[in-house]
Amino acid sequence: MTVQLNHTIVWCRDQNESAMFLAEVLGLAEPVRFGPFLVVEASNGVSLDYHDVDGEIPSQHYAFLISEDEFDQIFGRIRERQLEYWADPGLTRQGQINRNDGGRGVYFRDPDGHLLEIFTRPYGSG
């Protein structure tokens, strides 16, 4: 049996702002409307479907495996936007990147406080 993640819903306060933030920072195609969702599609066919919600939004974690070249590009956009970033999910190593498994990784927040991660080597691969 083959099981693949197809999409996940990302709760947000302003789907236009949040979906465009992700697409722009990661260098992905512009979000596309699908019913009540604004959809950002990753290159492996998995989509993040942004949906507006009122009230409190619990912080979620979304991690993106990317190439070394993509890391340079995306990390450049993180720095250009002067976003806070950390080397760890506990947010204790601010302004640093990690070198887990011989790659590079960094964590940063989206407009709704979701913790986004980009990394170049799968965990346990080093």
Side-chain angles (χ1 to χ4, degrees):
M1 175 170 39
T2 302
V3 177
Q4 297 180 4
L5 179 63
N6 177 265
H7 69 277
T8 190
I9 295 173
V10 181
W11 302 112
C12 60
R13 288 178 192 81
D14 181 333
Q15 63 183 198
N16 291 314
E17 177 187 20
S18 296
M20 282 303 297
F21 174 87
L22 184 72
E24 289 172 357
V25 170
L26 296 186
L28 298 171
E30 250 187 63
V32 176
R33 171 74 47 203
F34 181 74
F37 304 103
L38 204 50
V39 178
V40 177
E41 189 163 338
S43 60
N44 62 346
V46 175
S47 68
L48 289 90
D49 301 0
Y50 284 82
H51 192 286
D52 286 338
V53 65
D54 293 326
E56 184 112 7
I57 299 174
S59 177
Q60 297 293 314
H61 174 69
Y62 301 96
F64 302 92
L65 180 62
I66 59 176
S67 71
E68 288 289 339
D69 288 339
E70 290 166 328
F71 186 93
D72 292 335
Q73 295 167 21
I74 296 167
F75 188 56
R77 289 190 283 271
I78 290 169
R79 292 179 59 157
E80 283 173 11
R81 290 174 174 247
Q82 299 180 340
L83 300 174
E84 288 184 298
Y85 59 90
W86 298 266
D88 63 306
L91 312 180
T92 62
R93 296 171 46 206
Q94 186 173 2
Q96 300 175 46
I97 66 169
N98 68 57
R99 301 226 176 245
N100 297 340
D101 293 295
R104 293 182 291 168
V106 72
Y107 298 79
F108 59 102
R109 292 200 177 276
D110 82 348
D112 295 291
H114 297 301
L115 190 60
L116 307 180
E117 175 186 8
I118 57 171
F119 60 108
T120 62
R121 296 283 304 267
Y123 290 123
S125 67

